Protein backbone atom coordinates (compact mmCIF):
# COMPACT_ATOMS: atom_id res chain seq x y z
CA UNK A 1 0.00 0.00 0.00
CA UNK A 2 2.86 2.37 0.88
CA UNK A 3 4.45 1.64 -2.49
CA UNK A 4 1.28 2.50 -4.37
CA UNK A 5 0.83 5.72 -2.38
CA UNK A 6 4.46 6.65 -3.07
CA UNK A 7 4.05 6.02 -6.79
CA UNK A 8 0.85 8.07 -6.93
CA UNK A 9 2.45 10.94 -4.99
CA UNK A 10 5.57 10.90 -7.19
CA UNK A 11 3.44 10.84 -10.35
CA UNK A 12 1.32 13.76 -9.13
CA UNK A 13 4.39 15.84 -8.29
CA UNK A 14 6.03 15.04 -11.61
CA UNK A 15 2.85 15.93 -13.50
CA UNK A 16 2.44 19.20 -11.57
CA UNK A 17 6.05 20.18 -12.27
CA UNK A 18 5.72 19.30 -15.95
CA UNK A 19 2.50 21.28 -16.23
CA UNK A 20 4.06 24.28 -14.48
CA UNK A 21 6.97 24.34 -16.93
CA UNK A 22 4.76 23.28 -19.86
CA UNK A 23 2.51 26.34 -19.59
CA UNK A 24 5.44 28.77 -19.77
CA UNK A 25 6.18 30.43 -23.10
CA UNK A 26 9.59 29.28 -24.44
CA UNK A 27 12.38 31.86 -24.20
CA UNK A 28 12.80 33.85 -27.41
CA UNK A 29 13.82 37.41 -28.22
CA UNK A 30 11.12 39.84 -27.10
CA UNK A 31 9.24 37.43 -24.82
CA UNK A 32 8.26 39.06 -21.53
CA UNK A 33 7.65 37.21 -18.27
CA UNK A 34 5.68 39.18 -15.71
CA UNK A 35 5.09 42.90 -16.26
CA UNK A 36 5.99 44.37 -19.64
CA UNK A 37 8.17 47.26 -18.51
CA UNK A 38 9.89 49.11 -21.33
CA UNK A 39 13.62 49.67 -21.13
CA UNK A 40 14.40 52.85 -19.23
CA UNK A 41 17.52 53.82 -17.30
CA UNK A 42 19.42 50.53 -17.21
CA UNK A 43 22.06 50.24 -14.49
CA UNK A 44 25.37 48.91 -15.81
CA UNK A 45 26.54 45.66 -14.20
CA UNK A 46 29.65 47.44 -12.88
CA UNK A 47 27.45 49.98 -11.06
CA UNK A 48 24.96 47.49 -9.61
CA UNK A 49 26.47 47.13 -6.13
CA UNK A 50 27.31 50.83 -5.86
CA UNK A 51 23.63 51.70 -6.49
CA UNK A 52 22.71 49.54 -3.50
CA UNK A 53 24.74 51.54 -1.01
CA UNK A 54 22.35 53.19 1.40
CA UNK A 55 18.66 52.78 0.66
CA UNK A 56 17.41 49.30 -0.20
CA UNK A 57 15.59 47.89 -1.98
CA UNK A 58 16.34 50.03 -5.02
CA UNK A 59 14.03 50.07 -8.05
CA UNK A 60 16.11 49.54 -11.17
CA UNK A 61 16.65 47.75 -14.44
CA UNK A 62 19.76 45.72 -15.15
CA UNK A 63 20.87 43.47 -18.00
CA UNK A 64 22.65 40.15 -17.72
CA UNK A 65 22.91 36.57 -18.90
CA UNK A 66 20.93 33.81 -17.20
CA UNK A 67 23.23 31.11 -15.82
CA UNK A 68 20.69 28.90 -14.04
CA UNK A 69 16.95 28.51 -13.44
CA UNK A 70 14.98 26.62 -10.80
CA UNK A 71 14.45 23.17 -12.30
CA UNK A 72 11.22 22.52 -10.42
CA UNK A 73 9.04 25.47 -11.47
CA UNK A 74 11.22 28.26 -12.85
CA UNK A 75 10.60 30.33 -9.71
CA UNK A 76 14.15 31.73 -9.49
CA UNK A 77 17.18 32.37 -11.68
CA UNK A 78 20.82 33.37 -11.35
CA UNK A 79 21.95 36.14 -13.68
CA UNK A 80 25.56 37.07 -14.52
CA UNK A 81 25.84 40.87 -14.58
CA UNK A 82 28.95 40.74 -16.77
CA UNK A 83 31.32 42.10 -14.13
CA UNK A 84 32.17 38.88 -12.34
CA UNK A 85 29.11 39.38 -10.11
CA UNK A 86 25.86 37.50 -10.16
CA UNK A 87 22.42 38.27 -8.81
CA UNK A 88 19.87 35.81 -7.47
CA UNK A 89 16.46 36.64 -8.96
CA UNK A 90 13.05 35.72 -7.58
CA UNK A 91 9.76 36.61 -9.21
CA UNK A 92 7.64 39.20 -7.39
CA UNK A 93 4.86 37.49 -5.42
CA UNK A 94 5.51 34.31 -7.46
CA UNK A 95 3.24 35.91 -10.06
CA UNK A 96 5.14 34.32 -12.95
CA UNK A 97 7.77 31.71 -13.73
CA UNK A 98 10.49 31.36 -16.36
CA UNK A 99 11.39 28.35 -18.54
CA UNK A 100 14.56 26.27 -18.33
CA UNK A 101 15.49 27.35 -21.88
CA UNK A 102 16.13 30.86 -20.52
CA UNK A 103 19.60 29.63 -19.50
CA UNK A 104 22.22 31.29 -21.70
CA UNK A 105 19.88 34.09 -22.81
CA UNK A 106 20.48 37.80 -22.19
CA UNK A 107 17.66 39.43 -20.24
CA UNK A 108 16.48 42.78 -18.96
CA UNK A 109 15.42 42.59 -15.31
CA UNK A 110 12.94 45.18 -14.04
CA UNK A 111 12.23 45.33 -10.32
CA UNK A 112 13.93 45.89 -6.99
CA UNK A 113 17.53 45.09 -6.07
CA UNK A 114 18.96 44.61 -2.60
CA UNK A 115 21.77 42.88 -0.78
CA UNK A 116 21.45 40.19 1.85
CA UNK A 117 24.16 39.13 4.26
CA UNK A 118 24.78 35.53 5.38
CA UNK A 119 26.37 35.30 8.83
CA UNK A 120 29.64 33.51 9.58
CA UNK A 121 27.69 31.07 11.75
CA UNK A 122 25.32 30.18 8.90
CA UNK A 123 28.17 29.92 6.37
CA UNK A 124 30.02 27.56 8.70
CA UNK A 125 26.86 25.50 9.11
CA UNK A 126 26.56 25.20 5.31
CA UNK A 127 30.23 24.21 5.13
CA UNK A 128 29.65 21.49 7.75
CA UNK A 129 26.65 20.23 5.78
CA UNK A 130 28.87 20.10 2.69
CA UNK A 131 31.38 17.96 4.64
CA UNK A 132 34.15 20.58 4.43
CA UNK A 133 37.28 20.02 6.51
CA UNK A 134 37.70 21.58 9.96
CA UNK A 135 40.35 23.91 8.50
CA UNK A 136 38.03 25.09 5.71
CA UNK A 137 35.24 25.73 8.21
CA UNK A 138 37.50 27.69 10.57
CA UNK A 139 38.77 29.76 7.62
CA UNK A 140 35.28 31.28 7.29
CA UNK A 141 35.64 34.52 9.24
CA UNK A 142 33.59 37.06 7.28
CA UNK A 143 29.90 37.23 6.44
CA UNK A 144 29.04 36.92 2.76
CA UNK A 145 27.01 39.60 1.01
CA UNK A 146 24.68 38.28 -1.72
CA UNK A 147 23.07 40.30 -4.50
CA UNK A 148 19.30 39.76 -4.75
CA UNK A 149 16.63 40.97 -7.15
CA UNK A 150 12.85 40.79 -7.02
CA UNK A 151 11.71 40.90 -10.63
CA UNK A 152 8.41 42.49 -11.61
CA UNK A 153 9.27 41.71 -15.23
CA UNK A 154 11.90 39.91 -17.27
CA UNK A 155 12.37 40.61 -20.98
CA UNK A 156 14.38 38.25 -23.20
CA UNK A 157 16.90 40.27 -25.24
CA UNK A 158 18.35 37.52 -27.48
Amino acid sequence: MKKIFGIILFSALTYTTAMAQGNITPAAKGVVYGANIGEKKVVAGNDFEQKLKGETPVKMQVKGKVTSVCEKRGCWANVDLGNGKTVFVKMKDYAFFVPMDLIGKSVLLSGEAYQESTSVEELRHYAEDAKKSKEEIEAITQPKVNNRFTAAGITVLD
Side-chain angles (χ1 to χ4, degrees):
M1 187 67 170
K2 286 183 183 179
K3 251 186 190 177
I4 292 172
F5 179 73
I7 291 170
I8 291 170
L9 181 62
F10 177 76
S11 297
L13 289 173
T14 303
Y15 176 77
T16 302
T17 301
M19 290 305 294
Q21 274 289 311
N23 291 332
I24 301 173
T25 304
K29 185 176 182 174
V31 172
V32 177
Y33 303 98
N36 189 357
I37 301 170
E39 187 172 326
K40 297 176 183 165
K41 295 181 182 178
V42 177
V43 173
N46 291 333
D47 298 332
F48 180 83
E49 289 178 343
Q50 185 175 355
K51 291 283 186 184
L52 297 180
K53 303 269 189 248
E55 181 185 335
T56 58
V58 177
K59 287 187 178 192
M60 69 168 69
Q61 290 186 319
V62 66
K63 292 179 181 179
K65 186 169 285 230
V66 177
T67 58
S68 60
V69 170
C70 171
E71 293 183 17
K72 290 185 180 178
R73 292 182 20 188
C75 57
W76 58 260
N78 281 303
V79 176
D80 181 347
L81 299 177
N83 60 350
K85 300 285 184 177
T86 60
V87 62
F88 180 78
V89 181
K90 282 196 165 185
M91 311 334 157
K92 184 176 182 180
D93 300 327
Y94 289 99
F96 63 96
F97 302 104
V98 295
M100 288 297 299
D101 69 347
L102 193 62
I103 296 171
K105 304 278 186 183
S106 294
V107 295
L108 171 68
L109 303 174
S110 300
E112 295 181 336
Y114 61 100
Q115 289 183 319
E116 185 175 85
S117 182
T118 306
S119 69
V120 171
E121 182 179 293
E122 194 171 350
L123 290 170
R124 285 183 173 181
H125 175 76
Y126 294 151
E128 287 174 9
D129 287 351
K131 309 271 190 246
K132 301 286 184 179
S133 70
K134 182 179 179 182
E135 293 78 24
E136 288 174 299
I137 294 168
E138 289 175 354
I140 301 170
T141 59
Q142 298 292 319
K144 182 178 179 186
V145 176
N146 301 299
N147 295 322
R148 305 286 187 174
F149 199 94
T150 303
I154 299 175
T155 304
V156 182
L157 300 175
D158 68 13

